[in-house]
Amino acid sequence: MSNFLSFQIHGGADHDDGGIMESVSSLLAFFENLATQGAEAIFSSLMPGISGMDNLHPLLVHFPIAFLSVFFALDLVATLAKKTQWRSVASWFLYMGTVAAILTVITGLIAADSVAHGEDVHGIMEHHETIGISVLSLAILLSLWRMKSGALIRGGANGFFLVLSSFLFVLIMLGADLGGFMVYKYGVAVNAVPVPEDSASHVHNQANAHENPALPDHDQANMVEHGPAAVSEHEHADGHKHVHKHDHADGHKHTHTHTH
């Protein structure tokens, strides 16, 4: 399954170009392998990300961000455009975002007590936690206000409602920024995988291969070093002789002959 997922994610860049039949074959082999596994192993194969998580907070945090952001944008546009039906749809995004925020805050509080972190991260985490609780409190307030009104809020009250919605959106962005800062700057709750020593050369060679797929690796190196004018020619004789001719932009010609 890992090979199949890798094929889909990288678009086949790291695999032979077997077309759709190779992809289907990998998928069928994966399902055949699943049939021989137990329930826990099947779940790990289908959901390797979730099964490898210490807590569900990173999985759930995206939902309130998405739902509440769409609510704010749609409600604001609908107000300016005077689209009552759009605002009704925006209300449902608010409700779904509030429910998602409840689950996210609960799992976040659990994660704060279970995830190892240093003193440099503790202050950031406390700030992130405060913002998350504020987002949840404000989302609950706006949801109850919207429900209790029995209809769409109008007049000056609607203006204040939009101000609170804008503040909610700002808090969401600040909280998301701190969350990403802890993960990508300090690696909180991240099990880093060692990067192979040849990874840089692999990416470099692969990029050159895409630009000049018909040239061998050593000729592509000449292309990088001498520019597009350094075209190689190979002449194979009975004595295993290889002649490499490189014509440079300045008119100089270099010929390298190797006889085995």
Side-chain angles (χ1 to χ4, degrees):
M1 180 57 179
S2 60
N3 291 336
F4 174 73
L5 290 177
S6 176
F7 178 82
Q8 298 301 322
I9 293 172
H10 295 288
D14 296 333
H15 300 267
D16 295 334
D17 187 12
I20 189 173
M21 293 306 298
E22 180 181 349
S23 179
V24 172
S25 177
S26 298
L27 180 60
L28 293 177
F30 163 68
F31 284 122
E32 182 180 0
N33 184 49
L34 276 185
T36 64
Q37 300 178 2
E40 183 176 352
I42 290 176
F43 180 78
S44 298
S45 298
L46 291 175
M47 298 290 183
I50 296 179
S51 62
M53 287 182 175
D54 294 329
N55 62 83
L56 295 179
H57 180 71
L59 176 66
L60 298 176
V61 71
H62 300 88
F63 291 97
I65 294 175
F67 288 147
L68 295 177
S69 296
V70 171
F71 151 70
F72 168 72
L74 185 58
D75 202 49
L76 180 61
V77 172
T79 299
L80 297 176
K82 298 180 179 180
K83 299 290 186 178
T84 303
Q85 188 175 5
W86 291 8
R87 298 200 67 189
S88 298
V89 174
S91 297
W92 284 105
F93 279 103
L94 172 61
Y95 304 149
M96 291 187 295
T98 301
V99 173
I102 294 174
L103 299 176
T104 301
V105 169
I106 292 175
T107 56
L109 293 175
I110 296 174
D113 294 331
S114 60
V115 174
H117 58 277
E119 289 296 330
D120 52 349
V121 177
H122 186 73
I124 302 174
M125 186 175 292
E126 289 289 332
H127 193 191
H128 178 71
E129 179 180 318
T130 301
I131 293 178
I133 295 175
S134 300
V135 168
L136 174 59
S137 302
L138 191 52
I140 291 176
L141 174 63
L142 294 177
S143 295
L144 294 176
W145 189 356
R146 197 82 159 218
M147 290 178 180
K148 188 176 180 180
S149 65
L152 296 179
I153 305 170
R154 303 180 185 278
N158 183 62
F160 184 60
F161 183 90
L162 291 177
V163 170
L164 293 180
S165 299
S166 301
F167 184 54
L168 173 66
F169 180 73
V170 172
L171 287 177
I172 292 173
M173 295 297 101
L174 293 176
D177 178 73
L178 289 179
F181 185 62
M182 286 189 292
V183 172
Y184 295 108
K185 175 66 176 180
Y186 295 100
V188 176
V190 173
N191 295 323
V193 177
V195 179
E197 295 180 358
D198 62 342
S199 61
S201 61
H202 170 72
V203 175
H204 176 72
N205 292 336
Q206 181 177 320
N208 291 337
H210 284 302
E211 294 177 2
N212 304 280
L215 295 178
D217 291 341
H218 63 277
D219 289 335
Q220 292 187 40
N222 290 329
M223 290 283 286
V224 174
E225 180 180 358
H226 301 293
V231 179
S232 297
E233 297 180 3
H234 302 275
E235 299 178 3
H236 301 279
D238 294 337
H240 297 288
K241 179 183 293 184
H242 304 275
V243 179
H244 305 275
K245 299 179 180 179
H246 303 281
D247 297 325
H248 299 272
D250 57 0
H252 294 86
K253 178 180 294 185
H254 300 274
T255 301
H256 305 279
T257 303
H258 304 279
T259 304
H260 301 281

